[in-house]
């Protein structure tokens, strides 16, 4: 079976520095793949390059069989790829509802907009309660749910999440990971997830990938990584 | 007391004018974070466009004034697309963009001087009506400035809240990176913001033409006031620009009661300084727009 997302030989960086150094990675439809790696390993750079926010210096990205290397984020969204960025993935001065509408910026049909918003409210009922509240005044967990909700507004086939659990209390990490699992199960959305939290990142993953200094050093079953010795040697 | 009442009326009239300036400048600055000093020559250009429409095309005032916002929006959009955008795309620092903006101001002012000469140009056969209301007199221009400010502020608020482009503008002003992530074409939104902000500045430009006539350097003081108003009010906030405009207008006018006229232009900067000391983020920042 051919992969939904297929990255090959991808190179990216900033200025003179190369940060992603020839990464190959396939993600199949319906999978949850977790990318692990130390701080500065190049995980965020990899995701942002795939999404078209950073120019690839070499290599190709294919989505659904077509080369999408260097394509604009707006085209990626229209084609079913969405990114939840690291940190605050929301507009902090705008209301929850305005944020969700912006997540669905490409939607011109009011009915579809309303349906998608309802769908997000179904997944995260707290957002419905807080729909008039300004994004920046939500708690960290609620902001993360809003960020995920915004990405879902475009009904993506591939959802890319960059450390959605960062800075959250353990009980909220569970809640966010559960919702990722639920999105994958209910809508068949393929998930590419970067996670620092090993325990949760591995628990949700169907497959794990480890990046080290811009290179892929592991690609396999999460269980293989659960062996602490193996993990340490890779980081 | 009569002097005070008259100064108050003048302050409110000027306040409306300053608020218009701050509204356009703040929209551009608050959304794109570009300190657009070339707002000044674009403002002057709009006044000359109206002057030419009256002088050479012989158009009546009410049609000629439409040339102001039209010329300014084309001019402002061109400045963004041809000058600022290439700099932004190369990832130049905000300092380089600031220097570009200052350089551009000088070049454009020189071009206007070459084209029109340094003399004062007035709209043919125009005299503003004056109304006497009890102890004070109010000019038709002061009333028109206040009415256009209110109409434009309401229209702009509704545009930002309810249209696709408006929402894109709010998003870009909030977080550029996030705007790209949700698929907003940030270059196009910036272009729209430059066109719109410049058109608003042109409304003030037309009032200057009618009040005192147009000169190539007429935008020099207004762009500084626009900057002060936008910063005092809180960047990109509509209520902030209005409050900032009236504050500068009133302080400047009522200040004349006690302070010699020579200091009038400095008052705005003293105000800026005081507000920034007390509230560095501006008066209205963080408020929903
Ligand atoms: N905008 C940037 N400009 C210059 N260098 C950058 C930029 N963003 C990241 N870097 C550098 O690139 C390297 C990889 O960063 P990246 O953010 O991709 O790592 P990461 O694996 O996501 O790390 P973390 O787990 O801390 O998020 C780091 O050395 C970082 O300092
Ligand atoms: Mg990262």
């Amino acid at each position: 079976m051919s992969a939904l997302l297929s990255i090959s030989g991808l190179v990216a960086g900033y200025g003179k520095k190369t940060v992603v150094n020839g990464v190959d990675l396939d993600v199949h439809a319906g999978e949850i793949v977790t990318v692990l790696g130390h701080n500065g390993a190049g995980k965020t750079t990899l995701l942002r390059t795939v999404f078209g926010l950073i120019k690839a210096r070499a290599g190709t990205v294919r989505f659904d069989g077509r080369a999408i290397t260097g394509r604009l984020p707006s085209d990626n969204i229209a084609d079913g790829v969405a990114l939840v960025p690291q940190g605050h993935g929301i507009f902090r001065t705008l209301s929850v509802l305005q944020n969700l509408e912006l997540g669905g910026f490409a939607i011109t049909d009011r009915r579809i907009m309303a349906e998608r918003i309802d769908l997000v409210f179904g997944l995260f009922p707290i957002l419905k309660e807080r729909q008039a509240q300004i994004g920046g005044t939500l708690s960290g967990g609620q902001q993360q749910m809003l960020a995920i909700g915004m990405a879902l507004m475009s009904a993506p086939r591939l959802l890319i999440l960059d450390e959605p659990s960062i800075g959250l209390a353990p009980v909220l990490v569970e809640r966010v990971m559960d919702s990722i699992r639920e999105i994958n199960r209910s809508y068949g959305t393929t998930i590419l997830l970067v996670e620092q939290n090993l325990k949760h990142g591995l628990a949700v993953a169907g497959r794990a990938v480890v990046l080290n200094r811009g290179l892929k050093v592991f690609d396999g079953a999460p269980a293989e990584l659960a062996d602490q010795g193996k993990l340490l040697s890779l980081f | 007391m009569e002097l005070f009442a008259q100064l108050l009326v003048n302050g409110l009239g000027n306040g409306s004018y300053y608020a218009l300036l701050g509204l356009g400048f703040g929209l551009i600055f608050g959304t794109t974070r570009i300190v657009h000093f070339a707002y000044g020559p674009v403002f002057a250009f709009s006044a000359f466009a109206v002057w030419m429409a009256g002088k050479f095309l012989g158009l009546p005032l009410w049609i000629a004034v439409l040339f102001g916002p039209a010329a300014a929006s084309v001019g402002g959009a061109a400045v963004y697309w041809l000058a600022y955008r290439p700099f932004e795309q190369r990832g130049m620092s905000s300092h380089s963009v600031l220097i570009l903006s200052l350089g551009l101001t000088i070049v454009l002012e020189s071009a206007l001087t070459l084209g029109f000469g340094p003399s004062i140009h007035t709209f043919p056969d125009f005299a503003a009506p004056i109304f006497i209301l009890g102890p004070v007199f109010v000019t038709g221009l002061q009333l028109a400035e206040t009415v256009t400010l209110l109409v434009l502020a309401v229209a702009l608020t509704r545009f930002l809240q309810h249209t696709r482009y408006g929402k894109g503008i709010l998003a870009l002003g909030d977080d550029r990176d996030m705007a790209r992530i949700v698929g907003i074409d940030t270059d196009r939104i910036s272009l729209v913001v430059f066109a719109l902000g410049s058109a608003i500045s042109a409304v003030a430009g037309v009032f200057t033409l009618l009040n005192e006539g147009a000169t190539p350097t007429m935008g020099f003081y207004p762009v500084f006031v626009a900057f002060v108003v936008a910063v005092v009010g809180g960047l990109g906030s509509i209520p902030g620009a209005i409050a900032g405009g009236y504050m500068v207008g009133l302080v400047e006018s009522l200040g004349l009661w006690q302070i010699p006229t020579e200091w009038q232009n400095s008052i705005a900067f003293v105000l800026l300084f005081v507000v920034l000391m007390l509230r560095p983020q501006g008066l209205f920042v963080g408020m929903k727009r």
Side-chain angles (χ1 to χ4, degrees):
Chain A
M1 191 183 92
S2 78
L4 181 65
L5 178 75
S6 177
I7 303 167
S8 60
L10 199 68
V11 178
Y14 309 92
K16 287 191 181 126
K17 195 157 75 180
T18 301
V19 172
V20 173
N21 220 332
V23 169
D24 300 317
L25 174 62
D26 280 358
V27 180
H28 296 275
E31 249 189 324
I32 300 183
V33 174
T34 298
V35 178
L36 303 162
H38 59 86
N39 283 338
K43 306 178 297 290
T44 296
T45 308
L46 173 69
L47 299 190
R48 289 175 71 91
T49 309
V50 167
F51 192 64
L53 291 163
I54 300 174
K55 240 194 174 110
R57 293 183 173 170
T60 54
V61 180
R62 301 180 78 80
F63 181 68
D64 206 8
R66 279 193 301 151
I68 64 162
T69 328
R71 192 165 73 168
L72 287 174
S74 49
D75 294 330
N76 286 321
I77 289 173
D79 198 23
V81 186
L83 171 72
V84 178
Q86 186 169 348
H88 48 85
I90 64 165
F91 296 104
R92 278 173 293 182
T93 63
L94 303 180
S95 73
V96 167
L97 201 57
Q98 282 175 312
N99 267 284
L100 291 176
E101 285 172 357
L102 283 164
F105 191 70
I107 303 171
T108 47
D109 185 330
R110 279 164 176 271
R111 217 189 54 237
I112 295 180
M113 182 75 90
E115 274 172 23
R116 298 258 172 92
I117 289 175
D118 274 349
L119 192 137
V120 172
F121 284 165
L123 193 63
F124 302 116
I126 186 74
L127 295 182
K128 184 171 187 174
E129 278 170 44
R130 300 287 166 97
Q131 55 182 294
Q133 197 171 325
I134 298 298
T137 65
L138 296 172
S139 73
Q142 290 160 0
Q143 291 193 22
Q144 198 53 257
M145 291 173 203
L146 178 56
I148 296 172
M150 287 166 71
L152 291 179
M153 286 298 293
S154 58
R157 285 185 283 165
L158 172 66
L159 178 61
I160 303 175
L161 301 115
D162 196 349
E163 303 205 28
S165 74
I166 204 162
L168 298 187
V171 46
L172 285 170
V173 177
E174 297 262 8
R175 173 78 183 80
V176 166
M177 290 300 159
D178 283 348
S179 63
I180 291 171
R181 215 178 266 122
E182 191 181 333
I183 291 162
N184 172 257
R185 236 187 257 136
S186 317
Y187 311 115
T189 310
T190 308
I191 310 275
L192 176 58
L193 171 74
V194 159
E195 210 22 269
Q196 285 272 355
N197 186 319
L198 293 178
K199 182 171 136 248
H200 289 101
L202 289 177
V204 75
R207 185 152 60 89
V209 169
V210 179
L211 278 195
N212 190 334
R213 291 171 212 221
L215 289 168
K216 188 171 84 174
V217 292
F218 177 86
D219 189 338
E224 281 180 58
L225 270 186
D227 166 15
Q228 285 295 321
K230 174 125 191 183
L231 204 52
L232 286 177
S233 73
L234 291 171
F235 271 72
Chain B
M1 208 51 225
E2 279 175 28
L3 174 65
F4 180 83
Q6 187 60 54
L7 289 175
L8 189 66
V9 168
N10 294 352
L12 289 171
N14 284 344
S16 305
Y17 170 83
Y18 292 152
L20 280 169
L21 283 169
L23 207 57
F25 187 85
L27 180 66
I28 293 174
F29 191 4
T31 308
T32 66
R33 302 294 135 91
I34 294 174
V35 186
H36 175 43
F37 281 124
Y39 190 69
V42 171
F43 163 93
F45 177 57
S46 72
F48 279 105
V50 175
W51 174 77
M52 284 193 291
K55 175 95 176 166
F56 301 127
L57 304 180
L59 295 172
L61 181 62
W62 67 275
I63 299 183
V65 293
L66 300 177
F67 281 65
S73 55
V74 172
V79 166
Y80 170 70
W81 204 257
L82 302 175
Y84 296 132
R85 195 183 66 114
F87 264 60
E88 276 187 336
Q89 281 177 337
R90 270 181 220 131
M92 307 290 258
S93 71
S94 55
H95 291 115
S96 335
V97 178
L98 187 62
I99 291 167
L100 170 72
S101 163
L102 288 169
L104 209 57
T105 306
I106 295 169
V107 170
L108 293 176
E109 276 188 5
S110 306
L112 285 172
T113 310
L114 276 175
F116 296 97
S119 63
I120 298 178
H121 300 63
T122 52
F123 195 84
D125 306 322
F126 174 79
I130 293 175
F131 307 100
I132 298 178
L133 297 176
V136 296
F137 66 87
V138 183
T139 71
L141 288 179
Q142 285 171 333
L143 291 176
E145 280 163 353
T146 306
V147 171
T148 37
L149 168 70
L150 296 179
V151 170
L152 283 177
V154 170
L156 183 62
T157 306
R158 295 193 62 88
F159 172 77
L160 291 177
Q161 297 286 344
H162 299 294
T163 66
R164 214 171 125 71
Y165 271 107
K167 287 172 188 171
I169 290 170
L170 292 180
L172 178 57
D174 182 295
D175 189 328
R176 185 182 202 86
D177 191 46
M178 268 311 292
R180 293 185 67 205
I181 287 170
V182 299
I184 292 171
D185 181 343
T186 53
D187 283 359
R188 188 190 306 190
I189 293 290
S190 298
L191 188 70
V192 169
V193 159
F194 266 85
L196 202 59
S198 304
I200 295 172
S201 85
V203 176
V206 172
F207 283 120
T208 304
L209 169 72
L210 298 179
N211 260 319
E212 47 201 69
T215 66
T217 52
M218 67 188 275
F220 183 79
Y221 185 61
V223 75
F224 280 102
V225 175
F227 179 77
V228 171
V229 165
V231 172
V232 164
L235 288 173
S237 153
I238 293 173
I242 295 173
Y246 281 114
M247 253 173 96
V248 174
L250 286 172
V251 169
E252 205 181 68
S253 179
L254 297 179
L256 284 185
W257 217 11
Q258 302 295 341
I259 304 169
T261 326
E262 291 73 25
W263 292 100
Q264 188 172 19
N265 287 3
S266 317
I267 291 175
F269 295 95
V270 174
L271 181 67
L272 173 69
F273 191 69
V274 172
V275 169
L276 288 185
M277 293 246 295
L278 300 176
R279 235 183 111 78
Q281 69 276 41
L283 296 175
F284 281 74
V285 86
M287 266 193 53
K288 213 175 140 185
R289 338 193 230 179

